[in-house]
Amino acid sequence: MSIKVPFKQVDVFTSEPYKGNPVAVINCLELDESEINQSQLQRIANWTNLSETSFLFKPTIEKCDYKLRIFTPQTELPFAGHPTLGSCRAYLEFTGKKNVEKIYQECKLGVIEITSEGEKLSFEGAKTDVVDIPCEVAEEYGKSLSAEITERPRLLEVGPNWVVALVKDAQTCYDMELDFTQMKASNLKHGSTGLIIAGRYGNEDKYEMRAFCPLDGIAEDPVCGSGSLALARYLQDVHNYKSTYSFAISQGGRVGREGKVSGLIKHESGKITYHVGGQAVTAIDGHILIKLSEESNFST
Amino acid sequence: MSIKVPFKQVDVFTSEPYKGNPVAVINCLELDESEINQSQLQRIANWTNLSETSFLFKPTIEKCDYKLRIFTPQTELPFAGHPTLGSCRAYLEFTGKKNVEKIYQECKLGVIEITSEGEKLSFEGAKTDVVDIPCEVAEEYGKSLSAEITERPRLLEVGPNWVVALVKDAQTCYDMELDFTQMKASNLKHGSTGLIIAGRYGNEDKYEMRAFCPLDGIAEDPVCGSGSLALARYLQDVHNYKSTYSFAISQGGRVGREGKVSGLIKHESGKITYHVGGQAVTAIDGHILIKLSEESNFST
């Protein structure tokens, strides 16, 4: 038997619909996870054809508001950035909760703390590990770009494992072309999710950023939250900031979007945390068919 | 100003959700086409990331039930098959019409006649022109396939312009790999939309079919209606049937779908017409935000 459950498609990192990165959010809060045909989750995510489709379930950790399962068209992810903010916006709308400052999301990576401030939602990175990569591997990644890398790439393990690098400036980042065949081979060989390239706007606290993950079937991700988190952690590693630093990231121009992301490297009580935020707006609102697990193959 | 209009995402060429080819259908029947910000149509189609997104408008041709505008993420199309059937299913549900036998769709290619029979919808090809292609061009297309072509390719102008060819059998079709770089170059050089490859299941009236259109950013289309129409017309050209011939087409297995299409080459009163049909089921039902044309850039 199939039932209808609430559905939203939320545009993330924009205040204006269709300029950000969409995520499909399916509300299974009223169901038990075991009631749902599990193979269906991946099948739906393949069918929506979005970079991510997420499912809200009842949390299994007491402090959490919900458990989020995130799928690309090919696989399930431990964590992803824009689906986290989009699913949180959907959760607040589904439940009618207002004036909530903190929301706790359970996901495979762990507990993600989300802060709501006015129209903006931001998440704190639960994992932000910097890993050095050998010179020859860095050079290999460089070969897939038409622009020169100006700061040695590092591998950032933030859930996905992004190789992050800087180019001369924002315009260089915007203009550069990629050799996807070469880059795909490098990602496969070194087990990375993809490549994050950024360039600064003059002396502003603002970067142009692009995210590439051809292994997942997504040549260029319009606006990438976990990639923005990786960039924040990378910038701390490069510049060794001694106090809190906040910056803006512009993404998606080359694929017809206008994503606006805020990055925050927060120094507090001797501890550094990394935060990524932005607005998120629901563009599609309704219901979606989902199969219950006890059914035969013939009901719809 | 943005308003909410009815929205459906319909799964086409399947009776079971998530096994066919989705199309997003936006109901603008209550609006005048001029009231809508036109640049928004392409922007929404880019954002849904589906192979096609369609918009239902009031018809401008008297006999028609509605006017359909069909967009890929990159461009507007004169006609497309699975969006025609999916949008017709959505139209019938939006308007509550039942027991209708014929529906007439206005689109850029002309008037499309759709027949409703039980759960099945089928359309008649409005344009089915066979064009011979030179041997060296046929050979060039052949080079992009890992399997040998067993019947000379033709160019089928059915709205999109498909190059159609047969391989040895259904299994060969299912198993073969494509060199997308080579094929993309051939499509670009010769102005074709993409490639339709089919192989027959033994002596059954059934074919396995695959559709490739990397130029549109879609490596393999899960289930292709206009491609099925092209195949029907091609089979008539190859076999020169003297009476009505109907056959089944299975598509999408290699990309995780189970599309079921029916093809019909109808001989009647000395005239041959070509028909493609299948079931279509609504999986997502709700509303979508759409901008009216008189707005500023700042409202949502």
Side-chain angles (χ1 to χ4, degrees):
Chain A
M1 195 184 77
S2 285
I3 58 163
K4 284 182 180 183
V5 299
F7 171 92
K8 285 178 193 280
Q9 199 155 307
V10 181
D11 205 17
V12 186
F13 295 125
T14 182
S15 58
E16 196 179 338
Y18 316 120
K19 295 194 169 178
N21 201 359
V23 58
V25 189
I26 294 160
N27 179 356
C28 302
L29 289 167
E30 299 297 320
L31 294 166
D32 195 84
E33 211 173 323
S34 66
E35 288 179 88
I36 294 173
N37 184 328
Q38 293 290 305
S39 67
Q40 181 109 150
L41 306 183
Q42 184 62 68
R43 192 174 268 282
I44 291 176
N46 181 267
W47 183 84
T48 67
N49 207 38
L50 295 175
S51 61
E52 278 101 357
T53 296
S54 66
F55 299 82
L56 293 166
F57 287 105
K58 292 185 190 99
T60 64
I61 299 169
E62 203 180 343
K63 76 180 282 199
C64 289
D65 294 280
Y66 55 86
K67 174 181 172 182
L68 195 69
R69 291 186 63 185
I70 306 167
F71 292 78
T72 72
Q74 277 79 38
T75 190
E76 183 166 6
L77 298 179
F79 171 72
H82 97 270
T84 291
L85 298 187
S87 303
C88 182
R89 170 64 64 218
Y91 168 78
L92 294 174
E93 292 181 1
F94 281 135
T95 57
K97 287 192 179 168
K98 289 193 167 75
N99 308 316
V100 187
E101 273 174 38
K102 296 285 179 191
I103 303 103
Y104 296 92
Q105 167 182 301
E106 176 185 346
C107 60
K108 282 192 192 281
L109 186 70
V111 177
I112 309 293
E113 183 182 299
I114 301 167
T115 303
S116 170
E117 270 184 297
E119 293 299 308
K120 191 176 122 182
L121 293 171
S122 60
F123 67 83
E124 180 182 328
K127 186 185 175 194
T128 52
D129 299 339
V130 186
V131 180
D132 272 335
I133 51 180
C135 280
E136 62 273 22
V137 177
E139 271 171 32
E140 191 186 316
Y141 274 103
K143 276 185 200 152
S144 60
L145 306 180
S146 70
E148 202 184 334
I149 288 175
T150 56
E151 180 64 45
R152 196 170 55 76
R154 275 92 152 162
L155 178 67
L156 273 291
E157 300 185 348
V158 298
N161 297 331
W162 294 108
V163 172
V164 186
L166 291 178
V167 292
K168 192 178 143 216
D169 55 22
Q171 194 64 46
T172 306
C173 179
Y174 189 93
D175 289 341
M176 66 172 188
E177 301 298 336
L178 261 93
D179 178 337
F180 284 106
T181 311
Q182 160 89 38
M183 193 197 136
K184 219 163 157 172
S186 301
N187 284 325
L188 208 56
K189 189 166 151 194
H190 305 295
S192 49
T193 306
L195 202 53
I196 299 292
I197 305 292
R200 194 170 174 182
Y201 282 87
N203 291 319
E204 290 180 64
D205 294 324
K206 184 178 175 184
Y207 288 81
E208 179 69 27
M209 186 186 119
R210 294 171 68 189
F212 306 95
C213 36
L215 280 188
D216 269 342
I218 300 146
E220 179 158 2
D221 193 30
V223 203
C224 182
S226 69
S228 300
L229 176 66
L231 177 63
R233 182 65 190 88
Y234 177 87
L235 291 178
Q236 173 64 32
D237 206 56
V238 168
H239 296 295
N240 196 21
Y241 300 114
K242 300 300 181 196
S243 60
T244 293
Y245 178 71
S246 67
F247 61 105
I249 308 170
S250 160
Q251 286 181 62
R254 282 292 295 274
V255 288
R257 310 290 167 82
E258 299 174 24
K260 289 176 175 49
V261 183
S262 61
L264 173 67
I265 303 169
K266 194 172 175 181
H267 291 245
E268 197 175 37
S269 320
K271 203 183 139 198
I272 310 178
T273 54
Y274 301 88
H275 306 256
V276 168
Q279 294 195 38
V281 55
T282 296
I284 301 173
D285 199 347
H287 289 84
I288 187 167
L289 281 179
I290 194 162
K291 246 194 201 175
L292 297 184
S293 53
E294 64 274 16
E295 47 36 68
S296 79
N297 275 325
F298 299 98
S299 59
T300 49
Chain B
M1 194 184 79
S2 284
I3 58 163
K4 284 181 179 183
V5 300
F7 171 92
K8 286 179 193 278
Q9 198 155 307
V10 181
D11 205 16
V12 185
F13 295 125
T14 181
S15 58
E16 198 180 335
Y18 316 121
K19 295 193 168 178
N21 201 0
V23 58
V25 189
I26 295 160
N27 178 355
C28 301
L29 288 167
E30 299 297 320
L31 293 166
D32 194 85
E33 211 173 325
S34 65
E35 288 180 88
I36 293 172
N37 185 328
Q38 291 291 304
S39 67
Q40 181 107 150
L41 305 183
Q42 183 62 68
R43 191 175 269 281
I44 291 175
N46 181 268
W47 183 85
T48 66
N49 207 39
L50 296 175
S51 61
E52 278 102 356
T53 297
S54 66
F55 298 83
L56 293 167
F57 287 104
K58 293 186 188 99
T60 64
I61 298 169
E62 204 180 345
K63 76 181 280 201
C64 290
D65 293 281
Y66 55 85
K67 174 180 171 183
L68 194 69
R69 292 187 62 187
I70 306 167
F71 292 80
T72 72
Q74 277 79 39
T75 190
E76 184 166 6
L77 298 179
F79 171 72
H82 97 272
T84 290
L85 298 187
S87 303
C88 181
R89 170 65 62 222
Y91 167 79
L92 293 174
E93 291 181 4
F94 281 135
T95 57
K97 287 191 178 168
K98 287 192 169 77
N99 307 317
V100 186
E101 274 176 35
K102 296 285 179 191
I103 303 104
Y104 295 92
Q105 167 183 301
E106 175 185 347
C107 60
K108 280 190 195 281
L109 187 70
V111 177
I112 309 293
E113 181 182 301
I114 302 165
T115 304
S116 171
E117 269 185 299
E119 293 299 308
K120 192 177 122 183
L121 293 171
S122 60
F123 67 84
E124 179 183 329
K127 187 186 174 192
T128 52
D129 297 340
V130 186
V131 180
D132 272 335
I133 51 181
C135 281
E136 63 271 22
V137 176
E139 272 173 30
E140 191 187 316
Y141 274 102
K143 278 185 197 152
S144 59
L145 305 180
S146 71
E148 201 185 336
I149 288 176
T150 55
E151 180 63 47
R152 194 169 56 76
R154 276 92 152 162
L155 178 68
L156 274 292
E157 299 184 348
V158 298
N161 297 331
W162 294 107
V163 172
V164 186
L166 291 179
V167 293
K168 193 179 142 217
D169 55 22
Q171 195 63 47
T172 305
C173 179
Y174 188 93
D175 290 341
M176 66 170 189
E177 302 297 337
L178 260 92
D179 179 338
F180 284 105
T181 311
Q182 161 90 37
M183 193 198 137
K184 220 165 156 169
S186 300
N187 284 324
L188 208 55
K189 191 166 150 194
H190 305 295
S192 49
T193 306
L195 202 53
I196 300 293
I197 305 293
R200 193 169 173 182
Y201 281 87
N203 290 319
E204 289 180 66
D205 294 324
K206 185 178 174 184
Y207 287 82
E208 179 69 26
M209 185 186 122
R210 295 172 68 190
F212 306 94
C213 35
L215 280 189
D216 270 341
I218 300 146
E220 180 158 1
D221 193 30
V223 203
C224 183
S226 69
S228 300
L229 176 66
L231 176 62
R233 182 64 190 87
Y234 176 88
L235 291 178
Q236 173 64 32
D237 207 55
V238 168
H239 297 293
N240 196 20
Y241 299 114
K242 300 297 182 197
S243 60
T244 293
Y245 177 71
S246 66
F247 62 104
I249 310 171
S250 160
Q251 286 181 63
R254 282 293 295 275
V255 289
R257 310 291 166 80
E258 299 174 23
K260 288 175 175 49
V261 182
S262 63
L264 174 66
I265 302 169
K266 194 171 174 183
H267 291 243
E268 198 176 35
S269 319
K271 203 182 138 199
I272 310 177
T273 53
Y274 302 89
H275 306 257
V276 168
Q279 293 195 39
V281 55
T282 296
I284 301 173
D285 200 346
H287 289 84
I288 187 166
L289 282 179
I290 194 161
K291 246 193 200 177
L292 297 184
S293 52
E294 63 277 15
E295 45 39 65
S296 78
N297 275 323
F298 299 97
S299 60
T300 49

